[in-house]
Amino acid sequence: MADQRVAVVTGASRGIGRTIATTLAKAGQAVVVGYAGNETAAKEVVDQITAAGGRAVAAQADVADERDVAALFDAADEAFGGVDVVVNSAGRLALSPIAELDLDALDDMHRTNIRGSFVIAREAARRVRSGGAIVMLSTSVVGLQFPGYGAYAASKGAVEAMTLILARELRGRDVTVNAVAPGPTATELFFDGKDEQTIERLAKQPPLERLGTPADIAEVAAFLAGTGGRWVNGQVVRANGGII
């Protein structure tokens, strides 16, 4: 299937990344399911895609390790003949007031969220074919300034900056570069460490009065990664139900 678009999705073994991988597969793209450590979950995603008639392989990579990331893209070349779409959904979250933040947690989070995003963006810039798309994952907290999210928002602010600059650096390549910035989304990562009162309060913030779902975010990413999103470039799309 020489004309089939090929997507590399990181953080694809769970949560938003998993739904992005399956959504892209439903749209007809072959998918490399990138995962950090949970091989079983990644293989489940591959099985789900192939059972529905799609094409997918799993590939392990630490997104902050340039050798791992090169091997991840090599896996796409070997399995499907190249890369057209890259969605970087791998991320780490640590919540704490800035005054109480453990700096080891800060370093771990920034290694994945900043260095990892940069390594993925660098390899994508080198390898994505003409007509392709690069989609990074940010967070609406960059604009919403929720207390406790200082370090996380700072890391994602860096992602937004590199996204907008990369879009301009790829002038003439016919490759779009955008970011999706989810609001509160019902994933395992979101629910971890939050009590029911906090969850209910966050769910009531959007005018739509609910949490986002992984599918809500995946559909935006799929639009940016597909032919319909070709005229959207160098943008951060805040997919948060209208939180102001």
Side-chain angles (χ1 to χ4, degrees), residues 63-66 110-120 162:
V63 293
D65 185 309
E66 62 271 28
H110 283 196
R111 182 179 184 277
T112 298
N113 295 0
I114 298 179
R115 180 185 168 90
S117 294
F118 195 96
V119 172
I120 290 289
M162 72 178 77

Side-chain angles (χ1 to χ4, degrees), residues 32-227:
V32 176
V33 177
Y35 68 97
N38 194 334
E39 182 179 9
T40 299
K43 287 184 175 179
E44 288 174 357
V45 181
V46 170
D47 290 344
Q48 180 180 347
I49 290 171
T50 56
R55 302 169 75 206
V57 296
Q60 189 277 333
D62 171 0
V63 293
D65 185 309
E66 62 271 28
R67 293 172 297 275
D68 278 11
V69 169
L72 177 65
F73 281 71
D74 287 344
D77 286 339
E78 291 163 11
F80 306 120
V83 180
D84 302 287
V85 170
V86 175
V87 182
N88 184 42
S89 183
R92 190 183 292 264
L93 171 65
L95 298 179
S96 170
I98 291 172
E100 301 168 14
L101 181 66
D102 182 293
L103 294 181
D104 287 337
L106 175 73
D107 291 342
D108 288 344
M109 183 166 54
H110 283 196
R111 182 179 184 277
T112 298
N113 295 0
I114 298 179
R115 180 185 168 90
S117 294
F118 195 96
V119 172
I120 290 289
R122 186 179 74 159
E123 199 68 24
R126 293 172 175 177
R127 301 232 209 170
V128 169
R129 294 183 287 207
S130 177
I134 300 169
V135 182
M136 308 298 282
L137 266 289
S138 180
T139 173
S140 284
V141 176
V142 171
L144 298 174
Q145 296 103 34
F146 291 159
Y149 283 80
Y152 180 67
S155 72
K156 292 299 190 174
V159 171
E160 293 190 7
M162 72 178 77
T163 297
L164 301 183
I165 290 170
L166 182 59
R168 285 146 182 83
E169 290 179 345
L170 295 186
R171 173 182 290 274
R173 285 273 305 278
D174 191 27
V175 173
T176 62
V177 189
N178 296 287
V180 180
T185 305
T187 64
E188 180 183 341
L189 188 67
F190 169 79
F191 289 123
D192 186 35
K194 294 183 178 69
D195 58 29
E196 287 297 324
Q197 184 177 10
T198 299
I199 293 168
E200 183 177 353
R201 176 175 55 80
L202 291 170
K204 288 294 185 183
Q205 286 190 319
L208 298 178
E209 294 192 336
R210 65 171 177 84
L211 294 174
T213 68
D216 290 326
I217 310 306
E219 291 291 347
V220 177
F223 168 74
L224 295 173
T227 57

